[in-house]
Amino acid sequence: MHLLIILLSVVVSGGIWLRFLYQYDRVEPEPILVLLRIVVIGGLVSTFIAGTINSLFSSLSGIPISSESLSFQKSFILSTFVGFNEEIVKAVVTVWLVKNLKDLDEPIDAVIYATAVGLGFSVFENFQYTTEHGLFNLVLRSFTAMPLHIGLAAIWGYKISEVKFLHGKDYVESMKPAVILAAGLHALYDFFQFYIANNILPLIISITFSFFMIQIIRKK
């Protein structure tokens, strides 16, 4: 029963953010079933791959991925690796899913699908964290980590539109600067989570980042 409540809570939280994203696709809204498929498949695949790589790195480096405060050096190393790993994986999975998708027929679609993968990633990640730390953790992450993942995806998502609709460059060449920027922001966000655990400052930083990410979504 407890697990069912957590699952329903995570789904509701994700659904609210999905509705937020869907409102920006006004001209020719994407089929909701296609969008849901991208959320589920993109989120599941990217979470599994990135999570596996993160765990492997943690095991090999001896730096635990936990809520305990880490040293400055360990926080920097871990946050940098996690930030770049997760953004690269999400970007690669998104391109794999949408580059030949017939429903991607207007520039805004690429941003919608990219942020859908970011949403899916955060939903599956939230399920794991909520199972371990409780529903209050989900409430916090719904206002912090979820908009972070969605906003970071918006940074490189529009580059997919550039490849498809403008100059037709290679995905790697076109997306690399945006992915690096998103990964750097992600690493900065994670650094404070790892370095200053159980403190109000990371929460303030998270909310500030989240507000910034929401503005990026609106702009893109």
Side-chain angles (χ1 to χ4, degrees), residues 15 17 40 42 62-63 72 90 95 98-99 109 119 129 168 183-184 186 198-199:
W17 277 105
V40 174
I63 304 175
F72 181 92
K90 285 187 293 184
V95 172
V98 308
K99 67 177 182 178
D109 294 349
L119 171 61
Y129 279 102
H186 192 156
N198 302 318
N199 192 292

Side-chain angles (χ1 to χ4, degrees), residues 95-171:
V95 172
W96 168 64
L97 285 173
V98 308
K99 67 177 182 178
N100 296 319
L101 190 66
K102 63 181 178 62
D103 293 295
L104 202 168
D105 53 9
E106 56 179 344
I108 187 63
D109 294 349
V111 178
I112 295 296
Y113 287 128
T115 52
V117 173
L119 171 61
F121 186 97
S122 63
V123 165
F124 284 102
E125 192 178 60
N126 279 358
F127 180 74
Q128 175 188 347
Y129 279 102
T130 305
T131 303
E132 295 174 356
H133 304 292
L135 289 174
F136 182 68
N137 183 269
L138 173 62
V139 174
L140 291 178
R141 291 183 62 83
S142 295
F143 290 99
T144 56
M146 292 189 84
L148 173 84
H149 281 292
I150 294 169
L152 292 173
I155 292 176
W156 47 259
Y158 83 100
K159 286 293 185 178
I160 299 176
S161 290
E162 288 189 358
V163 175
K164 189 172 181 66
F165 297 104
L166 294 179
H167 44 63
K169 285 185 179 179
D170 177 76
Y171 280 104

Side-chain angles (χ1 to χ4, degrees), residues 107-108 111 151 153-158 214-220:
I108 187 63
V111 178
I155 292 176
W156 47 259
Y158 83 100
I214 291 172
Q215 299 311 308
I216 285 180
I217 296 171
R218 293 180 181 276
K219 181 179 179 181
K220 297 305 179 186

Side-chain angles (χ1 to χ4, degrees), residues 52-71:
T52 301
I53 296 174
N54 284 342
S55 297
L56 182 60
F57 176 80
S58 177
S59 177
L60 293 175
S61 66
I63 304 175
I65 302 177
S66 68
S67 58
E68 299 178 1
S69 296
L70 299 174
S71 67

